[in-house]
Amino acid sequence: AQTVTQSQPEMSVQEAETVTLSCTYDTSESDYYLFWYKQPPSRQMILVIRQEAYKQQNATENRFSVNFQKAAKSFSLKISDSQLGDAAMYFCAYVNAGGTSYGKLTFGQGTILTVHP
Amino acid sequence: EPEVTQTPSHQVTQMGQEVILRCVPISNHLYFYWYRQILGQKVEFLVSFYNNEISEKSEIFDDQFSVERPDGSNFTLKIRSTKLEDSAMYFCASSVWRGNTEAFFGQGTRLTVV
């Protein structure tokens, strides 16, 4: 079974600064996908960024980028130029690309990000 | 932009009552899911559904739970006899395919069992 661990229950950052959220995972699979989801106070789940395990290049989406270290099974999220609207709970998630797990997402425990003006 | 729609947004029910949570997935999506999030905890997988049958279910998804796609557009989660510990946020999600495509989440239904 796959597990996802987020070791930082809470993080804070000053507006316009950069923050990195950590995530590690454990799997015996070689083909999988990793995601970061944002959950604002409304509790809607919003996809922030996706990484394919077969790609060596780290994914980027505007101010959001990841540092994917496949051998270390690490998948951190970097938020640059933090904005007040980035304040939310962030979840790291894993899904197998094949096999019998039909798109089942496994989530980490979440990291609450506070952005200070 | 297409979205997953869940109703109701909040439901309060008496312990032991049956509840049905409703979801309208994105129309061209083939895979449907229910997840649960107890307040302050992580999001947990309940069940996945494809081709009108359950593909996978977690240990949480016991005989008290059932899912159905009654009319080709709605996707429902039924809890037969609710318990206090069923109080949680329930998220429906859908995806075009499994694994490698984004799962789009609905806004959630907050279930409160009293």
Side-chain angles (χ1 to χ4, degrees), chain B residues 31-103:
Chain B
Y31 287 86
F32 314 113
Y33 315 88
W34 284 101
Y35 290 84
R36 180 181 83 174
Q37 185 184 29
I38 295 172
L39 186 63
Q41 298 186 23
K42 67 177 178 180
V43 180
E44 300 173 292
F45 170 79
L46 290 178
V47 66
S48 59
F49 191 86
Y50 169 70
N51 199 25
N52 283 319
E53 60 182 23
I54 290 174
S55 305
E56 185 176 2
K57 59 183 181 180
S58 71
E59 59 275 9
I60 303 169
F61 195 88
D62 61 21
D63 292 344
Q64 292 297 313
F65 292 88
S66 63
V67 289
E68 195 177 34
R69 190 160 159 81
D71 57 11
S73 62
N74 291 286
F75 178 51
T76 61
L77 174 68
K78 182 193 291 186
I79 309 175
R80 288 189 182 81
S81 178
T82 49
K83 307 180 185 70
L84 294 176
E85 55 265 36
D86 292 328
S87 294
M89 195 77 158
Y90 288 82
F91 291 101
C92 173
S94 69
S95 62
V96 174
W97 194 244
R98 57 187 168 103
N100 63 341
T101 57
E102 176 185 351

